[in-house]
Amino acid sequence: MTEVSINPAALGPTASAKFRERVLPFILFGMVLVAIPFFGPSRTTMTLLNHIGINIVFALSYNMLLGRAGLLSFGHAVYLGLGGYFCVHILNWIDAADGGFWGNLPVFSMPIFGFAMGAAAGAVIGWPSCKRAGTAFAMISLGVAELMSAGAFMFDSLFGGEMGISGDRMAGPDFLGLSLGPLADVYWFIAFWTFFGVVAMFAFTRTPLGKLSEATRDNPERVQFIGYNPTRVRYLVFIFAGAFAGMAGGMSSVQDEIFTPENLSLIPSGAILIAAYVGGIRYFSGPIMGAIVMTYMGSNLSDYTAGWLLYLGLMFICVVMFVPDGIAGLVFGFWRGVRSPNRSEVFGKWAWQVSGVVLMIVSIIIIVEVAFRWSDGYGEVFEPFGLALSHTSILTWILAFVPLAAGVVLMRHAAAKYEEA
Amino acid sequence: MTQSALKLINVHKSFGPAKIIQGVDLDIAKGEKHAIIGPNGAGKSTLFNLVSGLYSLSDGEVQLNGKTISGKRPFEINRMGLSRSFQVSNIFSNMSVRENVRCGVLWSLGYGYSFWRNVGNLKEVQEKTGHILNEVGLLEKANLPAALLPYADQRTLEIAITIAGGAEVIMLDEPTAGMSHSETDRAVALIEKASKGKTLLIVEHDMGVVFGLADRISVLVYGEIIATGKPEEIRGDPKVREAYLGEEADEIEGASA
Amino acid sequence: METIVFSLLNGTIYGLLLFMLSSGLTLIFSMMGVLNFAHASFYMLGAYCAYTIMGVTNFWLALLLAPILVGAVGMGVERWGLRKVHANGHVAELLFTFGLAYLIDEVVKIIWGRTSVNYKVPESLDFTLFTLYGSNYPAYRIFILFVSIFMLVSLWYLLKKTRVGLIIQAALTHPHMVGHLGHNVPLVFMGVFGAGCALAGLAGVIGGNYFITDPAMAVQMGPIVFVVVVVGGLGSLEGAFVAAMLIGILQTSAVSINASFADIFGFLGMTATSEVGGITIASLAPMLPFLMLVLILIVKPTGLMGDREV
Ligand SMILES: Nc1ncnc2c1ncn2[C@@H]1O[C@H](COP(=O)(O)OP(=O)(O)O)[C@@H](O)[C@H]1O
Ligand SMILES: [Mg+2]
């Protein structure tokens, strides 16, 4: 082996690859955020977009734990909730203040306080929790979430009991000309902090601590033998995850102006777990996609069908079983397939699979919708495209099971046919 | 070579009723290349785990450069300048080869748990990572995911991570196990180069490697060191030949220094 | 005195029910490493199935059939669901059962509606057994006591005295060893999962009409079952038993204590009108199990009687 002089820069990705992978997506993301208001979204859309922004930050902060550090938490909403509650209180202090620090504080800065509160909560709760990893960590997070949400009901002056605590985002001085009264103002506020949060959390993955967090996820034993304490790594990451969740709470306090003890409970924690996982925890952009899709579904699907939670459960189980890399895995897989040399074969396989999945989805929708109408007992009939599908009609049963069977056959066929590939 | 780098004093380890290490004394001088040989199940890996802090001692003491390290946690021992490899490759499988080595470099360059720096911009880190990758010959495979490496390369990466932190005392647990002849030769060359000027403690089954590399050899049988000495002393020792019946005894005979 | 006796009696019954529910999960968790999130959903299924079967036939048939049915569902879940996910690790398995819990909740709502069903104690058991301190004590509670004890003894017999039991015991403490013994591991897993679910179903059958049968019963019970298993310790049915009784009695007693912090810490100058002072012990009862969970995991990770860490 001869000594060659190494150019360390040549080892890593080239400057253009770096730009393409690490800068360009953020520029595009920022441009989309700026462009959206020019399409004149309705108030409902605007609210939905704001919630999507909050959930993007929340889901990414969750993935700092699950995807990047291998820590499964069932209580991440605790940090969003505590950050948010803190900000609602600050909103009230601003409202009540007559000059002074609070009186001059723009509401625009709420996410900073949420961040601080989330970090503080993470530092306190994380200290005992992070001594353990794996299932024990998951159970501790569950216990903590139950304790916090039950405890919150006891301290009305802090958490406001069942009604929660509300604030007024119009209080305090304007900032950058935003009074935060109209939804359009709130959009800019959310867009700014979403962008900031996404960039900051991406930057975190590039730091020594971020890298060590991945190393600890992969192999906590070995980390000890390169000079790091895995417990310390987990603890620090946990604080950051809590902080960014708290930041999302600060954003939410301005958008919704209310927090209730429900916000701390297992339900929102479970929802963000599902969003991050469905989006794809192995990709940085996965939780973003998950947050967009799940927030959209949560607000729209629930209007269309009573069975939306059932669809959600089904979808989640299917992702766990068949697409562990989530939506992002599908998206990037598609991209790779498009660019691969044996494109035609890949497309062939996809065609089979997509038709199979579509057929199965048709069946499942029919079964669920008919079942819900039957269960309601109002005699309502499911009528897609003018077809009257009552639970007594034979057509219903044919449509419910024939496509399902056909879909299964197609999937099997695709699997067998392209197995060698 | 008078000062001892690593010193084991009356080290014991039991798992429940099973006494696996029963009073090991060892004194390894600075710069010495010391090999431990012994049959399977003799407790060699257990000894490594005791020294490196993975297991706690049942009795006895371990000193690194005169300071007691038994009772300290693995990362503390590592920071004091002792680094070890594993018999079964123990790497960060979802990260690239380069990232694996880079993780090994970070602490020694003082970057600790920092979260305000971009690893990509740390020149020192990149240079040292590149240097080590080059030294072990994994430069071309730097951007592959570690899990996809062929077996021999994973063993090499294991060594690379071990030496990345620049520790003065290096412990390698069967670094060439499962390698072909040519791969073994390459690994030995690498080990010689990487351990130049450092203290090396190595467990190895390949007698050719052991007798070629080691300044001194200890023979561990049933958790006890039955002989320690220069390669030629070990070769002639009747107790050692007794412990290694048959084929391996011939191997010890045949191995040339 | 009166309160103490009633608390102890009711606490014991609640504890036994909890144990019946948790014993299945302890078996599953210890052998397969799967902390089945949907375990309480099988408990709910048991109650609802019993309700339906009882509507058609009678309670006794329901007592027999519902657990079998639930066990069969559990085996199906293991065979076509969990087994596929197994390769992706414990987190994926945990998430699978997490999704399953959602799913079962919704399916139950479709089939039986969103409100509680009128699953009643059978008439043959609906009478006052004895009168204690002037209060009537319902016979059904004693029936629960007997069923639980019967199940406890059967389980003990099965584990200690039969061949299958020996295998399961070996697998509890050394899960990776079962394969080496030449047993069909997937089959053993499927059997254990099914049996665990059947036990949960049985708890549902006798608990559903003691408490209330509604779609929220799984969510209420689920986390507490975890607590029992984790507090009891991995691989330890005895531990689960102790933990279940402890939680049962503790929670039931706490509910009946009306003292507030102000009463207890009054000597520190705390008043009942202050926020902290106004908190009663009774209102803390739902939090007790989780406090125990967190403390145990931090202080004694092996649980009360387990020999392995979670
Ligand atoms: N953690 C442990 N618990 C119980 N026994 C162990 C443990 N680690 C090693 N042993 C036992 O110690 C003995 C020595 O093992 P090891 O040190 O791996 O031998 P070697 O590396 O010399 O082949 C073996 O019998 C092994 O079963
Ligand atoms: Mg060994």
Side-chain angles (χ1 to χ4, degrees), chain B residues 40-41 44-46 87 173-174 203:
Chain B
N40 269 330
K44 304 180 296 293
S45 296
T46 305
Q87 184 175 351
D173 196 351
E174 303 202 18
V203 168

Side-chain angles (χ1 to χ4, degrees), chain C residues 222-237:
Chain C
I224 298 183
V225 180
F226 281 178
V227 176
V228 172
V229 172
V230 172
V231 169
L234 202 55
S236 168
L237 278 170

Side-chain angles (χ1 to χ4, degrees), chain A residues 253-268:
Chain A
S253 74
V254 173
Q255 154 65 36
D256 296 329
E257 302 178 289
I258 184 165
F259 261 85
T260 67
E262 277 283 299
N263 291 105
L264 301 162
S265 72
L266 288 179
I267 295 164

Side-chain angles (χ1 to χ4, degrees), chain B residues 1-23:
Chain B
M1 277 224 223
T2 46
Q3 215 183 341
S4 66
L6 195 60
K7 195 168 183 183
L8 279 68
I9 305 160
N10 193 28
V11 168
H12 283 79
K13 179 68 186 177
S14 319
F15 294 109
K19 297 193 174 82
I20 302 297
I21 300 291
Q22 336 194 26

